[in-house]
Structure formats: structure tokens, C-alpha cells
């Protein structure tokens, strides 16, 4: 298991060569701040949509979705389908507000609506999430799969190598390099996932009836009972929209592509394209994970599913293609998270304190911040190995941190009577409540699914 052949290495080398050429062409001239952070506000709808999809369908998703489907069933696909609905809502109602204000970062909108305190608060939380979730999670997921094929590699060294490669080209080319490589990587990622999904389905002779007979019935249901430990139906209704709204609208990691669009129409249609693409993971990533219950019943943990399917069932050459898709996912998520976090630190913290800096100076600072954040994420990533599962690690953290932010953001957009003082007090109240709830859950005092907790925390913040 885990052996690669010459053709696999050729496919991998060809992909890396194309990636380097694209990066070099995009980053030939040293970008100023507007290029580094927003690609000169020149992105078209196709690039925006593909980049939104590729940066989200990261290595964490490629590992986490099949792993969660193997552990608990296809209900995890509700995260993806809810994202499609949120993207459509964002395209209609939020994107015009973001682009109409000519923002560089999403937290700027809170400063214009309220005051600088709200901007600093959202920006600081966003940087934290970008490093410990998006960047570190992607580095960890990529290293876990690569170790299946190169078991002699230490986890820490593998993480560091991935981080250095992604960090250097992100610092060199900025958002323009990120989105154009993302567009390439989205195509490779979809192709690799489709090939692996087809190979897994072939193990059942392409018979849906055989799949249904082999997989436990509870693994094949999108709607789960209220007491389901993985995703109860009430959590799907009240929690997933909250998590999805933050991720697809407020998260600089994602929204930076929308802010870099050449027009409101380009951003809107890009969001619609991403929404359509988000319908695919159920078939390309979730279903293979559910089928793996019958094929790989002896796994120790769900995060091993993708690597084991690839090692067991991918023929010569195809393993290289799918691994190229994995590398595409890693690079898409790491470069996106690093660039967005660098933008937040430079624009929301450095520039207000040093307003005399010109665009070139800001760009130099942004590149330095990118490399620093790369180091921090690489240092934290090995710690994720101590958590029970990658997907749970990501979603539970979002569930406790983001609902108060969503409440204030949404009310700020559509309730003009809300002023800065009550908004800040409500935000602090919501996060104090979320911290207390998290501690109570860890101590066993409360036992409520984190998706339902997200809905309750949103309601508490609105009341506050």
C-alpha cells in the first residue's frame, strides 16, 4: 500500500511545473498593495467562482468530508449544500454592499457602520481563525495524506515543506497569483476527485442497489434525528446557516475574491458559479467516504479514508493525478488563508497606525507578514493530531466563535437604529457566553450539539 510508480511521479512533476510557470508569469512584476491584496480589482466572474470553490474545497475538506461520511454518513453534505444557498443570498444582498463601499477588508465595513473598535475586533478574530483553522488545518491534512505514500517523512518536516512552498509564492504574487493558481487547481481537484469517486463506485459494479445493500441505512440519510450525535436536523436548520454566512460572507479568506472582482456583476456571477460547484462534493467526496464503510471497515479514524482509498484502488498514473488534486487543494487553501490574514494585519492594524506608508511599503510589509503567519501556522499544525477528527475540529471551533460576529454584522447591515456601543457590548456578551458554554461542554455539564449551540449563541447575541 502507498507505493507510487514512475507514471505517478511524472503526473505530479507535470502539475508542479505548470503551477510554477503560472505563478512566475503572474508574479513577474512586483505587486503594489492593491495588486497584492485585491489583484488590482480586476478579477472576472469565472476566476472568482473557481477560486472561491478551490480555496474552500481545500485539503481539510478533501480529507474531512470523506472521513466524516465514513464515520457518520452523508448528512455531512448538508454543510456543502447550505453553502450553496448562502452564496446565492450573498450574491443578491451582500456583494453589492461590499463592492459598493470599495472595501479592502470586510472588517472595514464594521468601522464605517459603527466605529474602529468593531473593525479591530472582527479583524483580530478573523486572523486567529485563518491561522489555527484554515492554514494549519490544510497543512496538517496534506501532510497526513502525503505520509501514506512517503511514510519516511516526519509530520513536522512535511508540514514545513508545504508551508514554505505555498508561503513563498503567495508572498511573491499576492492575490493575483492565488486566484489564478486556484482556477487551475479547481480543475485538477475536480478531475482527481471525479476519478477516485468513479473507481470507488466501480468496486460496487456501478450498481446503486449494491451500494445501498452494503452501506448501513443510517449512513445514507441527509436528515438525521434530533438526538443524532453528528448532525441533528435542528442543527442543520439553525446552525449551518450561521456558520455558512460567516464563512462565505464575513471571512476575509473567502470574501477577498469577491472584493477583488472587477465589478458587482463579476462578483455576483462568480458567487453563483461557486454555488453550483458546491453541489458536487456530495457525489465526488461524501459518497466515496460512505461507500468506504463497506470497503475499509478496519480504519482507526475517519481522516484516513481518502488516503486509504487512493492507495488501495487508484491504478498507476491515476494515483498521481489524484495526488496532484490533493496538492492543488493544499496550495489553494494555504495560499488563500495566508494572503487574507496578511491583508487583515496590514490593512486593519499596520496602515491605520502608520498612514504615511505608500503602496509599495505596504506591499513589503504584507509579504513579511505572510511569511510570519506561515511560520505560526506550521508550528500549530502538528497539534491538530491530538484532536479526534479534522472536520469536527474545524466546525466546532467555528460554531463557538462565529455566531456573535454574524449577529452583529447582519443587524448592522439591516437595522439602522443599532449603534456602536450596544453592538460592541453584545459582541463581547456573545463571546463570553460562548466561552462559558464551551467550558461547560468540556466538563460534561452541557450536552447540546455544536450546530444547535451556534443558533442559540446567535439568538443570545441578538437579545443582548
Amino acid at each position: 500500500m502507498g507505493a507510487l510508480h514512475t507514471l505517478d511521479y511524472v503526473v505530479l512533476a507535470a502539475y508542479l511545473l505548470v503551477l510554477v510557470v503560472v505563478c512566475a508569469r503572474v508574479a513577474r512584476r512586483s505587486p503594489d498593495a492593491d495588486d497584492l491584496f485585491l489583484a488590482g480589482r480586476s478579477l472576472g466572474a469565472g476566476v472568482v467562482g473557481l477560486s472561491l470553490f478551490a480555496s474552500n474545497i481545500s485539503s481539510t475538506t478533501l480529507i474531512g468530508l470523506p472521513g466524516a461520511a465514513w464515520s457518520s454518513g452523508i448528512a455531512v453534505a448538508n454543510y456543502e449544500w447550505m453553502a450553496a444557498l448562502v452564496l446565492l443570498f450573498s450574491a443578491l444582498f451582500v456583494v453589492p454592499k461590499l463592492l459598493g463601499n470599495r472595501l479592502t477588508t470586510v472588517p472595514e465595513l464594521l468601522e464605517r457602520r459603527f466605529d474602529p473598535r468593531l473593525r479591530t475586533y472582527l479583524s483580530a478574530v478573523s486572523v486567529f481563525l485563518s491561522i489555527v483553522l484554515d492554514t494549519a488545518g490544510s497543512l496538517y491534512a496534506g501532510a497526513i495524506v502525503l505520509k501514506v505514500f512517503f511514510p519516511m517523512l516526519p509530520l513536522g518536516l512535511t508540514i514545513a515543506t508545504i508551508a514554505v512552498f505555498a508561503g513563498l509564492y503567495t508572498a511573491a504574487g499576492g492575490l493575483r497569483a492565488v486566484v489564478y493558481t486556484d482556477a487551475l487547481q479547481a480543475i485538477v481537484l475536480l478531475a482527481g476527485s471525479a476519478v477516485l469517486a468513479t473507481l470507488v463506485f466501480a468496486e460496487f459494479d456501478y450498481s446503486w442497489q449494491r451500494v445501498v445493500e452494503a452501506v448501513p441505512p443510517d449512513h445514507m440519510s441527509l436528515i438525521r434525528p434530533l438526538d443524532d450525535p453528528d448532525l441533528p436536523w435542528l442543527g442543520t436548520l439553525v446552525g449551518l446557516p450561521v456558520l455558512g454566512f460567516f464563512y462565505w460572507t464575513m471571512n476575509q479568506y473567502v470574501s477577498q475574491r469577491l472584493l477583488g472582482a472587477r465589478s458587482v456583476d463579476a462578483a455576483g456571477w462568480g458567487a453563483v458559479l461557486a454555488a453550483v460547484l458546491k453541489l458536487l462534493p456530495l457525489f465526488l467526496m461524501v459518497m466515496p467516504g460512505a461507500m468506504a464503510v463497506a470497503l475499509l471497515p478496519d480504519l482507526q479514524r475517519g481522516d484516513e479514508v481518502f488516503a486509504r482509498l487512493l492507495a488501495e484502488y487508484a491504478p498507476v498514473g491515476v494515483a498521481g493525478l489524484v495526488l496532484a488534486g490533493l496538492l492543488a487543494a493544499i496550495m489553494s487553501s494555504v495560499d488563500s488563508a495566508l494572503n487574507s490574514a496578511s491583508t487583515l494585519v496590514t490593512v486593519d492594524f499596520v496602515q491605520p497606525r502608520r498612514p504615511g506608508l505608500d503602496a509599495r511599503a505596504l506591499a513589503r510589509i504584507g509579504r513579511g507578514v505572510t511569511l510570519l503567519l506561515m511560520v505560526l501556522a506550521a508550528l500549530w499544525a502538528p497539534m491538530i493530531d491530538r484532536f479526534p477528527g479534522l472536520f469536527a475540529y474545524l466546525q466546532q471551533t467555528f460554531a463557538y466563535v462565529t455566531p456573535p460576529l454574524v449577529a452583529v454584522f447582519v443587524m448592522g447591515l439591516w437595522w439602522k437604529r443599532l449603534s456602536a456601543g450596544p453592538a460592541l457590548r453584545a459582541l463581547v456578551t456573545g463571546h463570553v457566553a460562548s466561552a462559558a458554554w464551551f467550558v461547560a461542554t468540556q466538563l460534561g455539564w452541557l450536552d447540546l450539539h455544536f450546530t444547535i449551540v451556534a443558533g442559540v449563541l446567535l439568538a443570545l447575541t441578538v437579545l443582548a
Side-chain angles (χ1 to χ4, degrees):
M1 185 185 77
L4 291 178
H5 297 270
T6 303
L7 184 56
D8 296 313
Y9 288 112
V10 170
V11 173
L12 277 171
Y15 163 73
L16 291 174
L17 178 62
V18 172
L19 183 62
V20 169
V21 169
V22 171
C23 289
R25 288 183 62 85
V26 171
R28 276 184 300 181
R29 61 187 182 92
S30 179
D32 61 17
D34 204 36
D35 272 329
L36 188 71
F37 301 138
L38 293 179
R41 301 184 193 269
S42 63
L43 304 177
V47 173
V48 169
L50 288 171
S51 184
L52 283 171
F53 177 78
S55 59
N56 168 248
I57 301 297
S58 61
S59 53
T60 55
T61 305
L62 206 57
I63 304 304
L65 281 181
W70 180 87
S71 301
S72 59
I74 65 172
V76 69
N78 288 322
Y79 286 94
E80 304 303 304
W81 286 21
M82 186 62 70
L85 295 177
V86 171
L87 277 165
L88 292 176
F89 177 87
S90 180
L92 291 173
F93 300 109
V94 182
V95 166
K97 293 181 180 292
L98 295 179
L99 271 71
N101 284 278
R102 295 285 294 178
L103 304 174
T104 301
T105 69
V106 174
E108 281 184 79
L109 188 62
L110 290 187
E111 180 178 28
R112 298 186 187 187
R113 174 62 181 82
F114 297 115
D115 63 25
R117 296 174 299 172
L118 274 297
R119 174 182 181 176
T120 301
Y121 198 114
L122 174 57
S123 188
V125 173
S126 298
V127 171
F128 169 77
L129 293 176
S130 181
I131 297 304
V132 304
L133 293 186
D134 299 319
T135 310
S138 297
L139 293 173
Y140 169 78
I144 288 297
V145 174
L146 290 178
K147 276 178 62 62
V148 171
F149 295 92
F150 308 98
M152 75 293 298
L153 293 176
L155 180 66
L157 178 62
T158 307
I159 287 171
T161 302
I162 297 170
V164 168
F165 183 69
L168 287 177
Y169 85 68
T170 304
L175 184 64
R176 193 183 302 276
V178 169
V179 296
Y180 279 99
T181 53
D182 278 357
L184 166 66
Q185 290 158 352
I187 296 169
V188 175
L189 178 59
L190 287 171
S193 298
V195 168
L196 185 59
T198 302
L199 292 171
V200 172
F201 194 31
E203 294 297 314
F204 297 87
D205 296 329
Y206 303 104
S207 169
W208 179 249
Q209 183 62 36
R210 290 195 59 182
V211 172
V212 172
E213 292 171 353
V215 178
D218 63 324
H219 272 56
M220 302 300 287
S221 175
L222 284 170
I223 305 300
R224 308 298 292 270
L226 185 59
D227 60 350
D228 186 77
D230 298 296
L231 186 57
W233 64 264
L234 183 58
T236 301
L237 292 179
V238 304
L240 296 196
V242 178
L243 304 182
F245 186 88
F246 177 86
Y247 188 90
W248 291 102
T249 302
M250 299 175 61
N251 189 357
Q252 184 74 18
Y253 166 68
V254 171
S255 62
Q256 198 155 337
R257 284 119 184 86
L258 301 173
L259 296 174
R262 67 168 64 106
S263 65
V264 172
D265 284 345
W269 283 111
V272 171
L273 173 60
V276 173
L277 293 175
K278 288 296 285 180
L279 302 178
L280 299 178
L282 169 62
F283 309 102
L284 301 186
M285 299 163 196
V286 174
M287 285 304 306
M291 294 177 196
V293 172
L295 300 176
L296 304 170
D298 59 335
L299 297 181
Q300 298 300 311
R301 52 190 292 169
D303 289 347
E304 301 174 11
V305 169
F306 178 84
R308 283 286 300 275
L309 287 175
L310 186 59
E312 296 279 357
Y313 299 107
V316 175
V318 173
L321 174 64
V322 180
L323 268 182
L326 171 68
L327 289 175
I330 296 169
M331 296 305 147
S332 293
S333 52
V334 174
D335 62 23
S336 303
L338 287 175
N339 186 256
S340 65
S342 171
T343 303
L344 290 169
V345 172
T346 305
V347 176
D348 289 342
F349 292 96
V350 176
Q351 190 175 28
R353 290 160 179 78
R354 300 182 66 182
L357 293 174
D358 61 20
R360 294 288 178 180
L362 285 174
R364 286 195 297 271
I365 293 172
R367 284 190 284 272
V369 170
T370 297
L371 298 177
L372 173 63
L373 297 176
M374 172 196 73
V375 172
L376 294 176
L379 291 174
W380 172 253
M383 299 297 104
I384 300 175
D385 201 39
R386 302 181 182 183
F387 290 84
L390 180 60
F391 200 76
Y393 164 75
L394 297 172
Q395 298 302 332
Q396 288 189 45
T397 306
F398 269 118
Y400 282 98
V401 175
T402 62
L405 297 168
V406 172
V408 171
F409 188 89
V410 171
M411 294 182 72
L413 284 182
W414 286 291
W415 188 30
K416 300 305 180 184
R417 292 175 56 193
L418 181 63
S419 59
L424 182 60
R425 288 194 294 272
L427 196 53
V428 173
T429 300
H431 276 141
V432 169
S434 68
W437 201 316
F438 177 79
V439 171
T441 300
Q442 299 308 306
L443 294 175
W445 299 347
L446 292 174
D447 184 19
L448 196 62
H449 195 269
F450 64 86
T451 54
I452 302 177
V453 172
V456 174
L457 289 173
L458 179 83
L460 288 175
T461 307
V462 170
L463 289 175

